Amino acid sequence: MRIAVVGGGISGLVAAYRLRQALGAAADLTVIEGRDRLGGVLRTGSVGGEPVDLGAEAFVGRRPEVPALLRELGIADQLVHPAGLRPLVWAGGRAHPLPERTLMGIPSGPDSVAGLLDPDTVARIADEPTRPFSWRPGADTDVYSLVADRFGAQTVARSVDPLLGGVYAGTARSIGLRAALPALAAALDRGATSLTAAISALLPPPSDAPVFGALRDGYGALLRALADRTAATTIRDTGVDALHRAPGGWRVDPVGEFDAVVLATPAPVTARLLAEVAPRSARAAAGIELSSSALVVLELPKDTALPQNSGVLVATGEPLRAKAFTLSSRKWPHLAARDTAVVRISFGRFGDDTATALSDTELVAAATADLATVTGAAITPNSAVVQRWPGGLAQYAPGHTDRVAEIEAGLTDLDDLAVTGAYLNGVGVPACVASATAAARRIATACADAASAGR
């Protein structure tokens, strides 16, 4: 059984690994990657001679997929947790504590945002449960329209946008409620009497459990373990031009013919490859837009006077070019033990061309200047690394769940073809692991059915 996995990012590698588990050594697996390396938008580089992630650095700890995968691969000792410091929000030209008891920055009441928001906005939040509220079950809207209407535009700019910018490289105007906050949409569908009531009902009880996890040596350790355990043929620096039906399977141009295919490619590439074989799915995938971002990692002297916080998120509308600062040596104990300090500075939201318009030199200068502004410290980097991610994150716009349903519906009769990736059901690594596992299960079932039918 010959199976092609097109795309060697985390979704493609997990899909290949799961297929190896399901089908055993007899399966002929080929991973096809257009770049010269595996990992996609996950990349571990070197800063000051030590590993540092230049893409995503963490995963949501309440989801089980990544810890379970680390245990399977025998690298559970790589799992680390943050030090427990709180982040700040830069708004109105100064730093504020990030509000607690919120859902993606949407407050459950006025107390948590007092001080961050002006008195009129705090009063608006306090009054929200008394104002008439209507919601049509099944409706979708951008996050901005709902939250600005109920809690005011300043709540979006200072509390919601900083978090959405970090997760999606987008803003509340570009992100849909139903895809990004499905639990909130469900609470509204059930008849919540106000936005305050819906948020309050969804918040879990206070807990000391770590919110995030990471890998001590970076995501590169996971990528290597997956590649080693999968033992697939890997073809790098080769883009796939087209996908066609072939007798008994698929032709993947220019690589060859296969019995089954997993497309672990970004939405626009998936749309192009599906155009002939699954036009309904292709049209839906083509409607998913992407956002570009860039990351600057600064290596600083150990004694740089950084605040005792995990990072600084930036409200929209502030005169800074960066959107977020991760004070990595404060956030992660394993990085704090190093001889120098590490700070990650992120650029780029949907509709903002900062990440693509500035040169590497300009990005480093902007990162250094903005970090000095938000910390009040003298910033003199020992070294800097720039990593760009053009089209790195899908925008989960209003109607995204309908688009995903269309993609899946268009593949109903093609059980030997599966899709996976961060543009479907979540941008985080745990969601990608879950999506890839489901894609592999689909293909493994099709292979088993074909074998039993003697094909």
Side-chain angles (χ1 to χ4, degrees), residues 40-313:
V41 296
L42 298 183
R43 184 174 191 177
T44 302
S46 178
V47 175
E50 300 278 1
V52 172
D53 277 316
L54 304 178
E57 66 158 2
F59 57 87
V60 176
R62 69 175 178 271
R63 292 193 58 153
E65 290 89 351
V66 175
L69 185 58
L70 298 180
R71 289 192 296 271
E72 284 182 45
L73 295 168
I75 56 171
D77 60 339
Q78 283 283 337
L79 180 61
V80 294
H81 296 292
L85 300 177
R86 292 287 299 171
L88 301 170
V89 178
W90 185 263
R94 66 187 184 90
H96 307 260
L98 182 73
E100 298 184 353
R101 306 298 293 163
T102 74
L103 181 69
M104 193 62 77
I106 306 174
S108 56
D111 294 343
S112 65
V113 290
L116 174 62
L117 308 181
D118 62 37
D120 288 346
T121 302
V122 173
R124 182 183 180 90
I125 294 170
D127 181 62
E128 191 267 343
T130 70
R131 303 200 313 268
F133 178 70
S134 63
W135 174 262
R136 179 173 57 84
D140 200 3
T141 181
D142 60 88
V143 175
Y144 179 89
S145 294
L146 175 66
V147 180
D149 175 61
R150 303 303 297 178
F151 288 164
Q154 192 181 74
T155 303
V156 178
R158 294 191 173 189
S159 188
V160 180
D161 271 350
L163 292 167
L164 287 176
V167 175
Y168 296 99
T171 69
R173 295 179 185 272
S174 69
I175 301 300
L177 177 73
R178 197 161 289 275
L181 297 165
L184 176 56
L188 297 176
D189 288 347
R190 290 193 297 267
T193 57
S194 67
L195 183 56
T196 299
I199 297 294
S200 298
L202 292 173
L203 292 181
S207 171
D208 294 330
V211 177
F212 298 107
L215 277 72
R216 185 186 62 247
D217 295 326
Y219 273 118
L222 173 58
L223 301 174
R224 289 189 296 273
L226 285 168
D228 290 346
R229 291 284 293 274
T230 301
T233 299
T234 302
I235 302 174
R236 297 184 179 87
D237 273 332
T238 300
V240 173
D241 298 330
L243 180 66
H244 306 283
R245 260 301 187 191
W250 299 94
R251 187 169 75 254
V252 179
D253 290 337
V255 179
E257 294 192 359
F258 297 87
D259 299 294
V261 175
V262 176
L263 295 181
T265 46
V269 178
T270 303
R272 174 173 60 80
L273 295 178
L274 292 178
E276 175 186 315
V277 300
R280 178 180 178 183
S281 300
R283 286 191 296 271
I288 299 173
E289 297 186 275
L290 305 181
S291 180
S292 297
S293 61
L295 179 73
V296 176
V297 181
L298 298 181
E299 180 204 10
L300 304 172
K302 179 83 169 180
D303 60 357
T304 302
L306 300 174
Q308 291 294 325
N309 297 92
S310 61
V312 185
L313 305 177

Side-chain angles (χ1 to χ4, degrees), residues 5 54 58 85 97 114 119 198 243 248 296 318 329 350 358 383 390 396 415 446:
V5 177
L54 304 178
L85 300 177
L243 180 66
V296 176
E318 295 296 311
S329 295
F350 186 71
L358 298 184
S383 66
Y396 280 43
D415 57 0

Side-chain angles (χ1 to χ4, degrees), residues 324-412:
F325 308 82
T326 303
L327 306 178
S328 301
S329 295
R330 297 281 193 252
K331 182 175 182 179
W332 302 104
H334 69 290
L335 297 182
R338 296 182 180 179
D339 294 334
T340 56
V342 176
V343 178
R344 293 161 38 104
I345 301 96
S346 301
F347 296 84
R349 291 185 174 101
F350 186 71
D352 172 14
D353 66 354
T354 299
T356 55
L358 298 184
S359 68
D360 285 4
T361 300
E362 290 169 331
L363 278 173
V364 171
T368 302
D370 286 355
L371 181 61
T373 296
V374 301
T375 64
I379 304 299
T380 308
N382 297 335
S383 66
V385 175
V386 176
Q387 176 68 58
R388 297 177 187 273
W389 297 112
L393 281 173
Q395 295 300 285
Y396 280 43
H400 182 80
T401 54
D402 293 335
R403 293 186 186 92
V404 173
E406 277 289 288
I407 293 170
E408 293 172 345
L411 300 176
T412 300

